PDB file of all heavy atoms in Angstrom:
ATOM      1  N   MET A1461      11.590  10.948  15.512  1.00  0.00           N
ATOM      2  CA  MET A1461      11.685  10.764  16.947  1.00  0.00           C
ATOM      3  C   MET A1461      12.860  11.512  17.475  1.00  0.00           C
ATOM      4  O   MET A1461      12.871  11.763  18.708  1.00  0.00           O
ATOM      5  CB  MET A1461      11.913   9.264  17.139  1.00  0.00           C
ATOM      6  CG  MET A1461      11.047   8.795  18.391  1.00  0.00           C
ATOM      7  SD  MET A1461       9.352   9.307  18.240  1.00  0.00           S
ATOM      8  CE  MET A1461       9.130  10.264  19.700  1.00  0.00           C
ATOM      9  N   ASP A1665       8.990   4.955  18.961  1.00  0.00           N
ATOM     10  CA  ASP A1665       8.545   5.313  17.645  1.00  0.00           C
ATOM     11  C   ASP A1665       8.163   4.064  16.837  1.00  0.00           C
ATOM     12  O   ASP A1665       8.404   3.899  15.729  1.00  0.00           O
ATOM     13  CB  ASP A1665       9.543   6.104  16.983  1.00  0.00           C
ATOM     14  CG  ASP A1665       8.984   6.770  15.652  1.00  0.00           C
ATOM     15  OD1 ASP A1665       7.880   7.018  15.523  1.00  0.00           O
ATOM     16  OD2 ASP A1665       9.811   7.002  14.677  1.00  0.00           O
ATOM     17  N   HIS A1834      14.305  -2.484  16.647  1.00  0.00           N
ATOM     18  CA  HIS A1834      15.193  -2.007  17.755  1.00  0.00           C
ATOM     19  C   HIS A1834      15.120  -2.919  18.898  1.00  0.00           C
ATOM     20  O   HIS A1834      15.191  -2.700  20.042  1.00  0.00           O
ATOM     21  CB  HIS A1834      14.561  -0.715  18.275  1.00  0.00           C
ATOM     22  CG  HIS A1834      14.868   0.580  17.536  1.00  0.00           C
ATOM     23  ND1 HIS A1834      16.123   0.925  17.061  1.00  0.00           N
ATOM     24  CD2 HIS A1834      13.976   1.480  16.935  1.00  0.00           C
ATOM     25  CE1 HIS A1834      16.017   2.131  16.410  1.00  0.00           C
ATOM     26  NE2 HIS A1834      14.783   2.300  16.263  1.00  0.00           N
ATOM     27  N   GLU A1898      20.405   5.402  20.490  1.00  0.00           N
ATOM     28  CA  GLU A1898      20.225   6.823  20.753  1.00  0.00           C
ATOM     29  C   GLU A1898      19.854   7.129  22.208  1.00  0.00           C
ATOM     30  O   GLU A1898      18.741   7.605  22.624  1.00  0.00           O
ATOM     31  CB  GLU A1898      19.026   7.417  19.860  1.00  0.00           C
ATOM     32  CG  GLU A1898      19.335   7.499  18.488  1.00  0.00           C
ATOM     33  CD  GLU A1898      18.345   8.293  17.696  1.00  0.00           C
ATOM     34  OE1 GLU A1898      17.173   8.642  18.220  1.00  0.00           O
ATOM     35  OE2 GLU A1898      18.537   8.502  16.474  1.00  0.00           O
ATOM     36  N   TYR A1961      15.510  16.445   9.896  1.00  0.00           N
ATOM     37  CA  TYR A1961      15.021  17.176  11.154  1.00  0.00           C
ATOM     38  C   TYR A1961      15.811  18.444  11.269  1.00  0.00           C
ATOM     39  O   TYR A1961      15.472  19.323  12.123  1.00  0.00           O
ATOM     40  CB  TYR A1961      15.390  16.231  12.397  1.00  0.00           C
ATOM     41  CG  TYR A1961      14.399  15.126  12.568  1.00  0.00           C
ATOM     42  CD1 TYR A1961      14.808  13.794  12.547  1.00  0.00           C
ATOM     43  CD2 TYR A1961      12.969  15.308  12.533  1.00  0.00           C
ATOM     44  CE1 TYR A1961      14.001  12.717  12.670  1.00  0.00           C
ATOM     45  CE2 TYR A1961      12.161  14.314  12.688  1.00  0.00           C
ATOM     46  CZ  TYR A1961      12.620  13.007  12.768  1.00  0.00           C
ATOM     47  OH  TYR A1961      11.813  11.962  12.875  1.00  0.00           O
ATOM     48  N   GLU A1984      21.493   5.018  11.013  1.00  0.00           N
ATOM     49  CA  GLU A1984      20.246   5.502  10.554  1.00  0.00           C
ATOM     50  C   GLU A1984      20.440   6.912   9.741  1.00  0.00           C
ATOM     51  O   GLU A1984      21.261   7.749  10.202  1.00  0.00           O
ATOM     52  CB  GLU A1984      19.332   5.969  11.746  1.00  0.00           C
ATOM     53  CG  GLU A1984      18.767   4.736  12.450  1.00  0.00           C
ATOM     54  CD  GLU A1984      17.860   5.016  13.606  1.00  0.00           C
ATOM     55  OE1 GLU A1984      17.170   6.238  13.544  1.00  0.00           O
ATOM     56  OE2 GLU A1984      17.659   4.228  14.489  1.00  0.00           O
ATOM     57  N   ASN A2049       5.206   5.890  10.296  1.00  0.00           N
ATOM     58  CA  ASN A2049       6.429   6.457   9.988  1.00  0.00           C
ATOM     59  C   ASN A2049       6.747   6.229   8.610  1.00  0.00           C
ATOM     60  O   ASN A2049       6.873   5.088   8.126  1.00  0.00           O
ATOM     61  CB  ASN A2049       7.554   5.960  10.854  1.00  0.00           C
ATOM     62  CG  ASN A2049       8.818   6.686  10.733  1.00  0.00           C
ATOM     63  OD1 ASN A2049       9.311   6.883   9.589  1.00  0.00           O
ATOM     64  ND2 ASN A2049       9.537   7.067  11.917  1.00  0.00           N
ATOM     65  N   LYS A2051       9.343   6.907   6.622  1.00  0.00           N
ATOM     66  CA  LYS A2051      10.717   6.884   6.108  1.00  0.00           C
ATOM     67  C   LYS A2051      11.044   5.711   5.353  1.00  0.00           C
ATOM     68  O   LYS A2051      12.190   5.456   4.984  1.00  0.00           O
ATOM     69  CB  LYS A2051      11.586   7.283   7.238  1.00  0.00           C
ATOM     70  CG  LYS A2051      11.429   8.606   7.841  1.00  0.00           C
ATOM     71  CD  LYS A2051      12.622   9.033   8.719  1.00  0.00           C
ATOM     72  CE  LYS A2051      12.069  10.306   9.532  1.00  0.00           C
ATOM     73  NZ  LYS A2051      11.152  10.130  10.524  1.00  0.00           N
TER      74      LYS A2051
HETATM   75  C1  GCB B3157      15.355   7.735  15.261  1.00  0.00           C
HETATM   76  C2  GCB B3157      15.176   6.528  16.018  1.00  0.00           C
HETATM   77  C3  GCB B3157      14.052   5.712  15.236  1.00  0.00           C
HETATM   78  C4  GCB B3157      12.979   6.634  14.756  1.00  0.00           C
HETATM   79  C5  GCB B3157      13.603   7.541  13.633  1.00  0.00           C
HETATM   80  C6  GCB B3157      12.740   8.565  13.078  1.00  0.00           C
HETATM   81  O1  GCB B3157      16.388   8.460  15.602  1.00  0.00           O
HETATM   82  O2  GCB B3157      16.237   5.700  16.301  1.00  0.00           O
HETATM   83  O3  GCB B3157      13.510   4.731  16.106  1.00  0.00           O
HETATM   84  O4  GCB B3157      11.914   5.916  14.183  1.00  0.00           O
HETATM   85  O5  GCB B3157      14.671   8.327  14.292  1.00  0.00           O
HETATM   86  O6  GCB B3157      12.078   8.324  12.190  1.00  0.00           O
HETATM   87  O7  GCB B3157      12.661   9.733  13.686  1.00  0.00           O
END
Side-chain angles (χ1 to χ4, degrees):
M1461 220 53 235
D1665 188 26
H1834 282 303
E1898 289 190 355
Y1961 287 124
E1984 288 182 27
N2049 183 315
K2051 297 190 189 74

